[in-house]
Amino acid sequence: MKNFTLKQLHYFSTVVETESIVEASRKLFIAQPSISIAIKNLEQTFGQQLLIRHHAQGVSLTPDGRRFYEKARELLRLSHEFEQNTLADSDNISGQVSIASFESVAPLYIPKLIAGFKKIYPDIEIQLNDGEQHEIMVGLHRGQFDLAFLYDLQLDNSISKDVLNAPHKPYALLAADHPLAQQKSVTLAQLSREPMILLDVIPSRNYFLSLFSEKKLHPKVAYTSPSIEIVRCMVGQGQGFSILVTRPSTKTTYDGQQLAYVEIEDEMESSTLIMAYLKITEPTKPARLFMDYCRNFNLDESSNQSIG
């Protein structure tokens, strides 16, 4: 019988996913020699070279290593599922749920969902991650996250989706003293004549620009930023307009400027927030409990603000 440990598989998988023993060491808080020894032991146990070491350039998988990684990842997933389901079946329901959220969605609803859930299940630990949509999808496929909160935009058919709110239409963000802010509504044509401050994260960037390009309009992008608060501050300072779907409850920017939210008259595609998980993966019991809580939490009623 071949002798190996789940710890060795975890070290190996982390090296594969970071493409570097050095980066894996930093991520795992484990000394590099310990990781190298674990991988060497796996290679000796199974009689296969799993990695090619590139001097000062990280590592890459051999063909045997690629097949081994896929099997190791599945075994680690099953081990995690077994552990979490067992913890959740005890008298004191415990366990862990790792969730990821698109970064502009995260501050608006995720803390509220976690706080409400923890009142019911205080012993279930929630690991919170946020990032761009492609980063989250990679994490889902690698088993790093149980669930993800995303826009239903540019997603493939590998995930199951639960809709969490009604579709919301984008709006124009303007400085409170901007002439267009005095109107009840504006058109994309009017906005296109002004400098644009673009939220530069995918898929938001493509989505917002497509609203104009579909009407053969081409606004001049004056500034871009991946931070929604930087975008709001630039607009508040009178440097241009922006289009968003997120509506924070305050119209005051970090630096104290006042904003206006103005509806857009044009017909356009709306955004819907979804809770996503891989179709091929059975969620653990702690994850299912969190999913059930989110399904019963009416996001539209909990706030008059939109998701974005």
Side-chain angles (χ1 to χ4, degrees):
M1 178 181 290
K2 302 294 186 183
N3 294 315
F4 64 95
T5 66
L6 291 173
K7 182 181 290 186
Q8 290 172 336
L9 296 182
H10 181 49
Y11 289 178
F12 168 71
S13 295
T14 305
V15 169
V16 172
E17 289 161 8
T18 59
E19 300 181 340
S20 166
I21 291 176
V22 174
E23 289 303 316
S25 173
R26 291 171 180 163
K27 184 173 182 178
L28 295 169
F29 300 101
I30 301 295
Q32 292 178 46
S34 297
I35 296 175
S36 297
I37 290 170
I39 294 172
K40 183 178 180 180
N41 288 341
L42 285 174
E43 291 179 320
Q44 291 176 343
T45 297
F46 291 95
Q48 299 174 348
Q49 182 181 354
L50 303 176
L51 295 175
I52 299 172
R53 284 78 168 172
H54 305 284
H55 180 65
Q57 295 183 10
V59 300
S60 59
L61 283 168
T62 65
D64 283 339
R66 170 58 61 186
R67 291 186 288 271
F68 187 89
Y69 169 67
E70 295 299 331
K71 294 173 182 176
R73 190 172 65 174
E74 177 63 10
L75 184 54
L76 289 170
R77 184 190 69 78
L78 290 172
S79 171
H80 173 74
E81 183 178 314
F82 173 80
E83 176 188 27
Q84 297 306 314
N85 288 342
T86 301
L87 289 169
D89 284 336
S90 63
D91 291 336
N92 295 320
I93 297 176
S94 61
Q96 185 182 87
V97 184
S98 180
I99 65 173
S101 175
F102 185 59
E103 52 198 356
S104 67
V105 170
L108 193 56
Y109 282 125
I110 301 304
K112 188 181 302 183
L113 288 170
I114 291 175
F117 179 77
K118 291 288 284 185
K119 289 179 181 178
I120 304 172
Y121 302 105
D123 294 325
I124 294 181
E125 177 187 350
I126 304 292
Q127 290 188 337
L128 178 59
N129 310 268
D130 62 56
E132 293 194 26
Q133 188 148 305
H134 73 278
E135 297 171 331
I136 293 172
M137 289 301 296
V138 169
L140 267 182
H141 283 283
R142 287 181 173 174
Q144 295 171 344
F145 312 131
D146 294 299
L147 303 170
F149 294 81
L150 304 164
Y151 288 120
D152 193 5
L153 295 170
Q154 301 176 10
L155 297 174
D156 59 39
N157 60 4
S158 66
I159 64 170
S160 295
K161 307 174 186 178
D162 282 359
V163 174
L164 294 179
N165 73 326
H168 287 284
K169 187 178 178 181
Y171 67 95
L173 182 71
L174 294 156
D177 59 357
H178 192 287
L180 292 178
Q182 315 314 311
Q183 302 180 190
K184 290 185 178 181
S185 62
V186 295
T187 65
L188 290 173
Q190 287 177 299
L191 292 173
S192 69
R193 294 190 283 270
E194 305 286 330
M196 184 177 189
I197 316 296
L198 180 62
L199 181 61
D200 194 6
V201 289
I202 302 297
S204 296
R205 175 189 176 92
N206 297 340
Y207 170 56
F208 293 137
L209 290 177
S210 72
L211 299 177
F212 290 95
S213 62
E214 287 171 0
K215 297 184 179 298
K216 302 190 183 322
L217 298 171
H218 303 284
K220 179 183 177 182
V221 177
Y223 300 98
T224 67
S225 174
S227 165
I228 192 170
E229 284 304 331
I230 290 291
V231 168
R232 282 164 52 86
C233 286
M234 292 297 288
V235 170
Q237 290 292 341
Q239 297 305 299
F241 78 94
S242 189
I243 291 184
L244 297 174
V245 187
T246 304
R247 296 193 190 213
S249 58
T250 177
K251 295 182 180 180
T252 303
T253 65
Y254 271 11
D255 56 354
Q257 301 303 306
Q258 296 303 305
L259 299 169
Y261 302 159
V262 182
E263 301 305 320
I264 300 174
E265 296 175 16
D266 305 67
E267 291 294 322
M268 62 184 69
E269 181 184 4
S270 297
S271 294
T272 303
L273 179 65
I274 62 167
M275 180 169 55
Y277 60 95
L278 292 181
K279 288 180 179 178
I280 63 172
T281 302
E282 179 67 25
T284 64
K285 185 170 181 179
R288 292 198 302 272
L289 290 172
F290 188 74
M291 291 166 67
D292 289 341
Y293 177 80
C294 293
R295 291 183 184 115
N296 293 320
F297 188 99
N298 191 312
L299 295 183
D300 290 311
E301 289 184 0
S302 70
S303 172
N304 291 325
Q305 313 309 319
S306 301
I307 303 294

